[in-house]
């Protein structure tokens, strides 16, 4: 298991998915065949997706609520592995909400994050748009709301919440809060920034500290 979150592959994960295991790192050159690299569970839909290292490829197993493999997709190109994983989990997400999977066009353009195991993506609408590149009358401001991303770690009773304040206001900023025991009046972390890359850095630094059990 990787000690540093920065070594993990960032992934665009839809809401309702639990990161049960994550050791899919940026480079996997020394991994032995049959090694599990990642396991994601869609808990309400009773589905799971796992990546297993093959001999000269990677196996993405799609499993049912009994843990039985219902489909396997082989990916030989390491550079395409995350794209294929995202396509699969977002297609399952579309099916879970009654979407037409036959016209599924692929994942939305949300920011990729390094989310370690133990966290559930409660919701995710963190679109990959730079607010400083938008005109004030752009319709894209409707994507900047107080409900952009929420991650929950049930075992540690931690909630990481990300939004934009003020809603759809071009003069606003991203904010990130880390809450323990639902005590919203006393956040453990509280930061603001307009820069998406700094927001991602703060999110991942907070997840790293949580992995190191620094939030007692």
């Amino acid at each position: 298991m990787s000690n540093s979150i920065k070594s993990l592959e960032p992934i665009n994960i839809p809401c309702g998915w639990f990161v049960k295991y994550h050791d899919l790192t940026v480079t996997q050159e020394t991994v032995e065949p049959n090694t599990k690299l990642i396991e994601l569970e869609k808990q309400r839909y009773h589905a799971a997706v796992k990546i297993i290292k093959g001999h000269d490829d990677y196996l993405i197993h799609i499993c049912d609520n009994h843990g039985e493999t219902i489909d396997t997709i082989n990916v030989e190109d390491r550079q395409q592995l995350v794209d294929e994983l995202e396509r699969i989990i977002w297609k399952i997400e579309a099916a879970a909400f009654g979407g037409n999977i036959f016209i599924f066009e692929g994942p939305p353009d949300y920011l990729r994050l390094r989310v370690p195991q133990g966290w559930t993506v409660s919701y995710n609408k963190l679109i990959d748009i730079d607010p400083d590149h938008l005109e004030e009358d752009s319709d894209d401001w409707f994507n900047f709301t107080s409900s952009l991303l929420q991650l929950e770690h049930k075992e540690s009773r931690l909630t990481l919440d990300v939004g934009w304040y003020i809603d759809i206001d071009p003069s606003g900023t991203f904010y990130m809060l880390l809450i323990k025991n639902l005590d919203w009046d006393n956040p453990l972390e509280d930061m603001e920034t307009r820069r998406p890359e700094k927001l991602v850095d703060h999110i991942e630094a907070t997840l790293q500290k949580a992995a190191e059990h620094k939030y007692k």
Side-chain angles (χ1 to χ4, degrees):
M1 178 63 62
S2 303
N3 294 321
S4 173
I5 287 173
K6 284 297 184 182
S7 68
L8 298 178
E9 278 278 12
I11 301 171
N12 174 5
I13 303 176
C15 64
W17 285 81
F18 172 60
V19 184
K20 186 173 184 179
Y21 184 83
H22 193 353
D23 199 28
L24 180 61
T25 60
V26 177
T27 58
Q28 306 284 171
E29 297 175 356
T30 61
V31 177
E32 294 294 324
N34 300 319
T35 299
K36 181 170 69 173
L37 302 177
I38 194 168
E39 182 173 1
L40 306 176
E41 289 184 347
K42 176 68 174 179
Q43 295 172 317
R44 291 186 179 180
Y45 199 59
H46 304 296
V49 177
K50 306 174 186 178
I51 293 180
I52 307 295
K53 180 67 174 69
H55 289 278
D56 298 312
D57 59 359
Y58 298 86
L59 309 176
I60 304 180
H61 295 303
I62 304 169
C63 305
D64 62 15
N65 58 333
H66 300 294
E68 298 293 329
T69 299
I70 58 177
D71 195 10
T72 297
I73 297 173
N74 296 68
V75 179
E76 295 183 1
D77 187 345
R78 178 64 180 81
Q79 300 300 317
Q80 296 178 358
L81 185 60
V82 171
D83 290 339
E84 186 63 24
L85 173 63
E86 291 177 348
R87 187 192 67 79
I88 290 168
I89 58 178
W90 277 97
K91 190 171 184 178
I92 292 173
E93 182 71 9
F97 285 89
N100 189 335
I101 61 174
F102 298 105
I103 60 173
F104 176 69
E105 296 180 353
D109 191 16
Y110 292 168
L111 285 171
R112 285 173 166 171
L113 296 170
R114 297 173 174 89
V115 181
Q117 65 188 46
W119 290 87
T120 297
V121 180
S122 299
Y123 58 79
N124 182 9
K125 295 182 180 179
L126 191 55
I127 195 164
D128 189 6
I129 295 178
D130 188 336
D132 291 335
H133 291 170
L134 291 180
E135 300 293 336
E136 288 194 2
D137 60 352
S138 172
D139 289 342
D140 282 328
W141 287 114
F142 289 101
N143 294 300
F144 289 78
T145 72
S146 59
S147 301
L148 295 179
L149 175 74
Q150 190 170 97
L151 307 177
E152 293 184 87
H153 195 290
K154 294 182 180 179
E155 184 177 345
S156 300
R157 302 182 303 281
L158 293 171
T159 302
L160 189 149
D161 190 70
V162 175
W164 179 267
Y165 184 80
I166 302 168
D167 271 8
I168 69 176
D169 190 327
S171 66
T173 60
F174 293 110
Y175 67 82
M176 187 208 76
L177 301 174
L178 183 71
I179 307 300
K180 190 175 180 71
N181 296 324
L182 299 179
D183 185 3
W184 292 89
D185 292 329
N186 298 287
L188 302 179
E189 300 282 353
D190 185 353
M191 60 75 61
E192 295 182 6
T193 181
R194 279 186 66 90
R195 302 303 309 143
E197 69 276 9
K198 289 185 177 180
L199 175 65
V200 170
D201 286 344
H202 279 289
I203 292 172
E204 293 179 351
T206 300
L207 295 175
Q208 179 69 54
K209 289 170 69 175
E212 296 169 353
H213 307 289
K214 292 187 176 180
Y215 299 110
K216 300 296 185 181

